[in-house]
Amino acid sequence: MKLQIKLALYNTLTKLAIIVFTGLLILFSLEKITYAHLSTRLENKKDVFIRNLSSKEISQILSQQQSFTNYNILKEEYIFLKLIPYQPNRDSTESFTTQRRTFEKSTDSYLILTYRFNFENHSYLLEIGDTLDTVIQLKQTIKQFTLLMLVVALLLTLVIDLIFTKYLLAPFYRIIDRKLVKVNDPMNFDYEKVETSTQDFRLLDDSISTLMKKIADLFILEKQFIANVSHELLTPISIISSRLENILSHEELKEDSENKIFASLKTLNRLKSIINSLLLISKVENNQFNKNDKIYIADIVAEVFKELEDRLEDRKITFSNNVKHTYSIWGNHSLMHTVLFNIINNSIKYNREQGSIVITDHFNYEGYMLEIADTGTGMSEQQIEKAFNRFEKLDTDEKESYGLGLAIVKSIATFHDIKIQIKSVRNEGTAIKLIFNQHNFTKSS
């Protein structure tokens, strides 16, 4: 999960917890607040009623009946007064209850203030009620409104957090993209700082730049070392080879000595081949080749086939050249020839007797694709991961394999901005795809 999503979710959940807590607090407090408000209203009405009540008024009210009831037209509130048995020492007491009352066949729930008091040698029971239906409706409305506001607040919080974290982390993703993802060569690293006001991102930017500078310096030293050592080794190898060849020209040389000299020459040639391969990789990675040739891929495939035709016949391998498109690329003809030669040569080297090699091509959104598929021994996932490492060899009896063929292919492909994909199944075969950048291609007429 991306850091942006994690931050947005964390902020949203935190605010959600606060909103839920506040909402629940409001809902639980609402009932107490409402009842307290109604109780205060009833007490005020009771005080007003008692204050404005005289014995004459009570006598008139109770003259015709033992009780008096009055309510408004909507039956939202009522007043009930009743004469009760007289108790001289009665203390005025009041209490609140929630009961249902029926007026004119309409039953509602009321919060009722019950008040017993003595007045002019008489005892009275006073009830003042206020309907709870309004309170219940109000509570329901507030609950729905609170829930709606909770959902709206949650959505707004999530959207705002996503926008803010995207803005906040934009420099971080620019640093990752420019200074890690798009870096294929430490020598061409972009040291320009990414503009940001966040100190942590500045530290990350500086740290990556410092690290890449160290890697680039080590990379340069490695290239120089390989180039220098290779050059220095070629001269003594050539001298030793010449001397051994001169010794072989003597007629009095014994057969056993000749065999030893032949073996030594073979070893020197093998060493020379390895050094030349390392030199080639070093020169390619140091951009010491030009890319001024217009290369026709189909023509190179045909050239390589002619060079390897004898080997194909020796191992009875069927070669199918199904290249249909005529495309050209600007690059180095010799290097591209080396790429296809090494790949096809490996397809022969690691193929089975009477196997097959099929070369196909097509064009898609990525560019022009050339695929070389064989029916050879195949590779495991671990071998595919290490296929382009130098001196990495498959499990094979091939004595002429140095483990540099695919390393050379990788270097030249990178030099020409070509992607390489390997798909392989053990004991079934290998398919290598070369994906040419479409911007480097021109279609021939």
Side-chain angles (χ1 to χ4, degrees):
M1 187 181 292
K2 287 188 175 181
L3 179 60
Q4 175 188 353
I5 304 298
K6 286 187 176 181
L7 286 175
L9 288 178
Y10 171 76
N11 291 333
T12 301
L13 291 175
T14 304
K15 293 176 183 176
L16 175 62
I18 295 173
I19 293 172
V20 169
F21 174 78
T22 305
L24 292 175
L25 183 63
I26 292 173
L27 291 177
F28 285 123
S29 303
L30 180 63
E31 187 169 352
K32 291 185 178 180
I33 294 172
T34 303
Y35 276 92
H37 175 70
L38 286 178
S39 299
T40 303
R41 283 183 57 190
L42 293 176
E43 286 183 344
N44 291 335
K45 288 180 182 179
K46 181 262 294 182
D47 292 339
V48 171
F49 182 83
I50 297 298
R51 189 167 53 248
N52 295 329
L53 194 63
S54 66
S55 68
K56 183 179 179 180
E57 290 173 331
I58 294 178
S59 298
Q60 289 176 351
I61 291 173
L62 301 177
S63 60
Q64 302 298 327
Q65 51 190 357
Q66 293 296 315
S67 64
F68 166 77
T69 303
N70 184 30
Y71 53 87
N72 61 9
I73 191 171
L74 296 177
K75 306 179 184 63
E76 293 179 348
E77 59 183 25
Y78 78 93
I79 296 177
F80 173 76
L81 182 65
K82 180 181 179 181
L83 186 65
I84 59 176
Y86 177 67
Q87 296 182 6
N89 299 323
R90 179 188 298 275
D91 293 330
S92 299
T93 59
E94 65 179 28
S95 61
F96 291 93
T97 58
T98 301
Q99 299 180 23
R100 297 181 67 81
R101 290 287 188 269
T102 301
F103 299 104
E104 295 183 353
K105 299 179 180 180
S106 177
T107 303
D108 293 314
S109 296
Y110 291 87
L111 178 64
I112 300 171
L113 167 64
T114 303
Y115 182 65
R116 291 177 175 82
F117 64 98
N118 290 338
F119 187 77
E120 297 292 338
N121 297 322
H122 290 85
S123 295
Y124 297 94
L125 171 66
L126 174 66
E127 286 187 2
I128 302 177
D130 209 335
T131 183
L132 293 176
D133 289 346
T134 304
V135 176
I136 295 173
Q137 293 176 1
L138 178 62
K139 285 169 60 179
Q140 189 65 27
T141 302
I142 292 177
K143 287 180 181 179
Q144 293 175 354
F145 179 75
T146 303
L147 181 61
L148 177 63
M149 291 303 298
L150 177 62
V151 173
V152 172
L154 178 62
L155 292 176
L156 285 176
T157 300
L158 182 59
V159 172
I160 292 172
D161 285 343
L162 283 173
I163 294 174
F164 176 72
T165 52
K166 183 178 181 181
Y167 167 76
L168 180 66
L169 296 175
F172 172 76
Y173 289 119
R174 285 199 298 270
I175 292 172
I176 297 299
D177 184 59
R178 278 176 48 185
K179 302 204 169 186
L180 290 177
V181 176
K182 293 184 177 179
V183 176
N184 294 322
D185 184 2
M187 305 302 298
N188 298 320
F189 182 75
D190 183 7
Y191 289 96
E192 182 181 355
K193 292 187 177 182
V194 174
E195 185 176 353
T196 176
S197 59
T198 306
Q199 186 175 357
D200 295 334
F201 294 158
R202 290 178 182 172
L203 178 62
L204 175 64
D205 193 350
D206 293 339
S207 299
I208 293 176
S209 297
T210 302
L211 178 62
M212 291 304 296
K213 188 176 187 308
K214 292 179 180 178
I215 293 175
D217 292 341
L218 293 173
F219 199 57
I220 292 173
L221 289 175
E222 180 190 4
K223 288 182 177 181
Q224 290 176 346
F225 175 77
I226 293 174
N228 293 337
V229 169
S230 299
H231 278 296
E232 292 297 327
L233 287 176
L234 281 177
T235 301
I237 288 174
S238 298
I239 294 173
I240 295 172
S241 296
S242 298
R243 289 178 178 176
L244 290 176
E245 289 171 358
N246 290 333
I247 294 174
L248 282 175
S249 63
H250 297 147
E251 295 180 358
E252 65 275 8
L253 198 63
K254 295 180 180 179
E255 183 179 355
D256 183 56
S257 299
E258 286 183 358
N259 291 335
K260 291 180 180 179
I261 293 174
F262 273 122
S264 300
L265 284 173
K266 190 173 182 179
T267 302
L268 286 173
N269 288 332
R270 175 184 170 87
L271 181 59
K272 188 175 182 180
S273 178
I274 292 174
I275 292 172
N276 285 328
S277 296
L278 291 174
L279 271 176
L280 176 61
I281 293 174
S282 178
K283 288 180 180 179
V284 171
E285 291 178 346
N286 285 316
N287 297 321
Q288 295 180 359
F289 291 90
N290 59 49
K291 292 190 284 188
N292 301 324
D293 302 329
K294 191 172 185 180
I295 306 165
Y296 292 91
I297 303 302
D299 292 346
I300 295 182
V301 172
E303 292 173 7
V304 173
F305 169 69
K306 290 181 180 178
E307 292 183 31
L308 297 174
E309 191 172 7
D310 292 339
R311 292 198 61 192
L312 290 166
E313 290 178 357
D314 289 341
R315 303 199 60 190
K316 299 179 181 179
I317 295 175
T318 303
F319 186 88
S320 300
N321 184 0
N322 297 329
V323 176
K324 298 178 180 179
H325 301 282
T326 305
Y327 280 93
S328 61
I329 182 174
W330 290 99
N332 187 285
H333 186 278
S334 176
L335 293 180
M336 284 305 303
H337 183 278
T338 300
V339 167
L340 292 177
F341 182 90
N342 285 356
I343 294 176
I344 297 174
N345 187 46
N346 279 349
S347 296
I348 298 172
K349 186 187 301 182
Y350 300 108
N351 213 324
R352 57 181 172 81
E353 292 289 336
Q354 298 182 348
S356 64
I357 298 174
V358 180
I359 300 181
T360 55
D361 67 337
H362 64 277
F363 195 80
N364 62 9
Y365 69 95
E366 291 186 88
Y368 178 71
M369 299 184 67
L370 184 73
E371 181 175 355
I372 299 97
D374 62 57
T375 56
T377 57
M379 292 184 286
S380 64
E381 291 293 333
Q382 293 77 9
Q383 289 174 325
I384 292 175
E385 293 177 1
K386 300 177 181 179
F388 298 112
N389 294 348
R390 297 175 190 178
F391 301 106
E392 190 70 34
K393 296 172 60 176
L394 295 176
D395 298 331
T396 176
D397 296 331
E398 183 64 48
K399 297 179 180 180
E400 298 301 322
S401 175
Y402 309 138
L404 291 172
L406 288 181
I408 294 173
V409 168
K410 180 64 176 178
S411 297
I412 297 175
T414 302
F415 180 69
H416 286 88
D417 194 20
I418 300 170
K419 296 179 182 178
I420 305 177
Q421 293 180 352
I422 299 179
K423 291 184 178 180
S424 185
V425 178
R426 196 68 174 165
N427 298 322
E428 291 186 15
T430 301
I432 296 180
K433 286 185 180 180
L434 300 178
I435 305 172
F436 297 82
N437 191 325
Q438 57 184 343
H439 299 296
N440 295 338
F441 257 99
T442 57
K443 186 175 182 179
S444 303
S445 56

